[in-house]
Each structure stands twice: as structure tokens, then as C-alpha cells.
Amino acid sequence: MAGRAASKVLSGARVVLPTGTVENGRVIVEGDRIVGAAPDDVPSLDLSGHWIVPGFVDMHVHGGGGMSFTSGTADDVLKGVQTHREHGTTTITASTVTGEMYVLAKQAALLSELVEQGDLAGIHFEGPFISPCRKGAHSEDLLRDPDPAEVRKLIDAAHGTAKMFTLATELPGGIDSVRLLAEHGVIAAIGHTDATYEQTVEAIDAGATVATHLFNAMPPLGHRTPGPIAALLEDERITVELINDGTHLHPASLQLAYHYAGASRVAFITDAMDAAGFGDGMYDLGPLAVEVKDGVARLVDGGSIAGSTLTLDTAFRRAVTVDRLPVDDVVRSISANPARLLGVDDRVGSLEPGKDADLVVLDADFRLKGVMHKGTWVIEPKTG
């Protein structure tokens, strides 16, 4: 670990910029910002043989480091944030799971304070407004139709920090809730849904803009009943979340989604629960018991996949080395696109002068070697 210097120059690496990759590039940091130039006497850190990419942005994550965003204290949440930060995620939206409305409102109030402090980028409500047919790791007893009045209560409880709601938009009140969210500048995400193709199109036309973990917790693609997947992939207004951990998606499904939607419409997420960066064992996800074995989280009752133990550095490396996606495209999907959706792309998501000095250093094999958050090394790369 190391402290902040007034100015620093990172040189010699392949630097991924919005315009493409620069060989033997430089990133200049002054305080907590990226700048365009540095005085001649500023020492340079030689990162030859490495990559420098923007800090990762995770818009869908429930916890990490053994700590929960869904029910934890402020200290618990910060420990989880730190765990993901040590894996390159410098911007995080905290996701909830289905619970009693008063519990969700209380947790939203806590999380909103951490947003105001700059530790989180916002709040994502996943449930309770989802389909019992596609509930995944959500308590069926607590599910409810997406009543716009109740959606508004959670927006208010978040004190302006709500960024996204995942909804089964085919349920009664779903379309009106999408319109309400759009009016308040909150992302309406279609997920945990049993919608038809036609119902999904209606929700998109009403203002939905994100597909929550595409393919998972929704009807499969059929040649006579294409369902939500076809509607979400074909519409240029939709960004699709993908969990690239090798468990949630077959590589061919990821390739289908990525190459159909294109790099500009994919957001890699973790959907991580407490065990991310922590290990196997027994955990709670909201009111439900989860067992993590060999890195895969499943409900004790029923065996459904219960989020992931993924971190975005692993998702990045897998995208490049297993899925063979271009590095520049992966950077868009893991940093720039989620930053744009969350409305924070004026500060994060790309390496440009004036933006926060959030960056990740990777070696030639795309293994994480360094993380900087707002000009401070979280993990300082070892060179030489």
C-alpha cells in the first residue's frame, strides 16, 4: 500500500483510451485526477510490458469480502467495497435483494449516506417487484407486483441515490412503474421476468433501458416463442448485463449476446454476493441461506444459483483470454458503458484528463498487478 503523491507519471505501458490502445503510453496523475501534462522533474514509474485500463465499474453487486450490501452495517458495506476495489472495481452500485418494504427502505437510507460520502455510486433495487416464476435467489413469500406507489417509496427512501430497479415488467403495474422510473431519471431494468417478446417490447417502449443479467432468470430463447431475450438483444436502446464467470453463461451464449448487441451495449457485472473475494462456506442472501462450494453460490433450499463469487478482474481476464474479445471492447463493457448508464461518465469510466485517477494495471497475461483509486494506490504495482 502506498500514499498519494502530488504528481506521478505511469509510463511504458499499453494504455487503453477511448480512441484506442496507445503503445508505450503515459498516464499522468496530479492529486486525485488525470491530467494532460506533468513538470519535467516528476519521476516516472516504468510499467513496460503491462496494460493500463480504466478502473472497473460494477452496476450490479450485492456484497463481497464476507460482507453484505443487502443487510450489512455501514462498516460491512465499506469492507465489501474495499474487497472489490482490490480487484479493480473502483466504482460500485450496491444492489439489494427482495425483502420487506420497511427493511429495504431502512437499508436504502444507510446506503444513501455512503453514496453521499463518495463510497458508492448509487443503489440498485433488485426485487421485490419480480416474477415468482423466475425468482432465482429471492424469497417468493416477499415478492409483489410493481406498484408505482411502492416503487416511489423506495426512490424516496434512497434520497436521490437510486440508480436502477429490476422489474418483471409484465406484472400488473409494471409498465406504469417503468414510466415512473423514467420520469425520475432512474434506470428501469427488465429482469427476473417471465415476459413474452411482445410484453418486453412494450416495456422498452415505455422507457426500460437495461436487461438484468441477460439469459439468467428469464425464459430461454425459442424459435416460435422468442421471449424477452430476442427483444432485449435486438433493440438499440437496451444495454445487456452479462455475468462472465463461466457458470452463469455458456461461452457460446456470451458470444451470441456480445456480438449481436456489440461492445457499446454490453455491461459486464458480477452480481456478486458476500463470498466474492472471501471463499467457500455458508452465507445469507437476504432472508435465504446460501452455500458456496468450489466458488459457486447456490441456495441451500432448492439449489438455485444465488448470485456469484465473481470479481471484475476475473471477468476481464476471461473475456480476453477465453472469449477472445478485443481488449478495447472489453474496456468499454466493463468501464465506459456502466459509467454512462449510471450517469457518472463525467468522472469515471475512461482515462481522460480531468477525470478521477481510477485505473487498473494488468500484466501481459491480464492478471491484476495494480489498482489506483482517486490518485491513491490501493495495490501498488511491483516493477523490476
Side-chain angles (χ1 to χ4, degrees):
M1 305 291 287
R4 177 181 296 166
S7 298
K8 50 180 78 78
V9 177
L10 315 179
S11 63
R14 292 178 172 180
V15 180
V16 181
L17 303 175
T19 52
T21 298
V22 176
E23 302 285 343
N24 193 26
R26 296 200 311 166
V27 177
I28 304 169
V29 175
E30 183 175 312
D32 61 359
R33 301 282 178 173
I34 298 170
V35 296
D40 294 336
D41 59 350
V42 175
S44 177
L45 176 63
D46 184 5
L47 292 174
S48 299
H50 292 74
W51 293 80
I52 300 177
V53 300
F56 309 144
V57 180
D58 197 344
M59 58 189 285
H60 187 159
V61 52
H62 299 276
M67 301 299 173
S68 171
F69 299 162
T70 68
S71 58
T73 65
D75 285 344
D76 292 341
V77 174
L78 292 175
K79 289 175 183 176
V81 168
Q82 181 65 16
T83 295
H84 284 283
R85 195 170 287 167
E86 290 169 357
H87 288 273
T89 301
T90 51
T91 302
I92 284 180
T93 295
S95 301
T96 65
V97 295
T98 294
E100 297 281 6
M101 287 292 292
Y102 77 90
V103 173
L104 292 173
K106 181 179 178 182
Q107 191 66 10
L110 181 150
L111 294 171
S112 70
E113 293 181 5
L114 298 179
V115 177
E116 294 299 330
Q117 293 174 194
D119 298 301
L120 295 171
I123 302 171
H124 163 217
F125 292 97
E126 188 179 24
F129 310 115
I130 61 176
S131 172
C133 301
R134 305 287 174 177
K135 64 182 184 298
H138 293 256
S139 177
E140 185 169 353
D141 292 343
L142 298 174
L143 299 182
R144 58 185 69 208
D145 291 339
D147 180 352
E150 292 194 322
V151 171
R152 177 60 188 268
K153 286 180 182 178
L154 292 181
I155 293 175
D156 292 342
H159 302 300
T161 66
K163 291 290 186 178
M164 182 163 69
F165 277 69
T166 291
L167 308 169
T169 54
E170 76 279 8
L171 296 175
I175 297 300
D176 286 341
S177 294
V178 169
R179 294 193 180 104
L180 173 73
L181 291 166
E183 289 170 3
H184 286 81
V186 180
I187 296 167
I190 300 171
H192 288 275
T193 177
D194 204 41
T196 64
Y197 174 89
E198 290 77 14
Q199 289 171 328
T200 306
V201 169
E202 183 184 9
I204 297 169
D205 287 341
T209 56
V210 166
T212 293
H213 43 54
L214 187 74
F215 296 108
N216 297 114
M218 60 182 62
L221 183 66
H223 64 292
R224 292 193 181 94
T225 54
I229 293 172
L232 294 164
L233 279 177
E234 73 182 7
D235 199 301
E236 294 292 329
R237 294 170 290 182
I238 293 291
T239 298
V240 299
E241 295 181 345
L242 297 177
I243 308 172
N244 193 18
D245 61 354
T247 298
H248 281 78
L249 294 176
H250 188 283
S253 297
L254 182 137
Q255 291 284 353
L256 172 68
Y258 202 92
H259 290 295
Y260 199 98
S264 64
R265 291 206 293 123
V266 169
F268 283 125
I269 62 163
T270 62
D271 194 17
M273 43 80 72
D274 310 12
F278 199 69
D280 289 357
M282 300 298 297
Y283 297 87
D284 293 323
L285 185 60
L288 303 178
V290 175
E291 181 179 11
V292 177
K293 185 176 180 181
D294 298 327
V296 178
R298 293 187 181 274
L299 291 182
V300 172
D301 184 10
S304 293
I305 293 177
S308 84
T309 62
L310 184 65
T311 52
L312 281 181
D313 58 328
T314 298
F316 190 109
R317 186 167 188 267
R318 181 179 177 85
V320 176
T321 63
V322 176
D323 303 309
R324 302 295 181 182
L325 298 175
V327 175
D328 291 14
D329 287 351
V330 176
V331 166
R332 292 177 71 182
S333 297
I334 213 164
S335 299
N337 294 345
R340 171 180 49 80
L341 286 165
L342 295 173
V344 296
D345 53 331
D346 59 327
R347 297 186 290 106
V348 300
S350 60
L351 300 176
E352 297 178 87
K355 291 193 176 183
D356 291 353
D358 289 358
L359 57 86
V360 176
V361 180
L362 305 168
D363 67 13
D365 295 320
F366 300 98
R367 292 184 174 88
L368 184 143
K369 294 298 179 181
V371 180
M372 179 182 288
H373 175 59
K374 293 188 177 180
T376 298
W377 286 116
V378 179
I379 298 175
E380 187 166 1
K382 308 300 180 184
T383 58

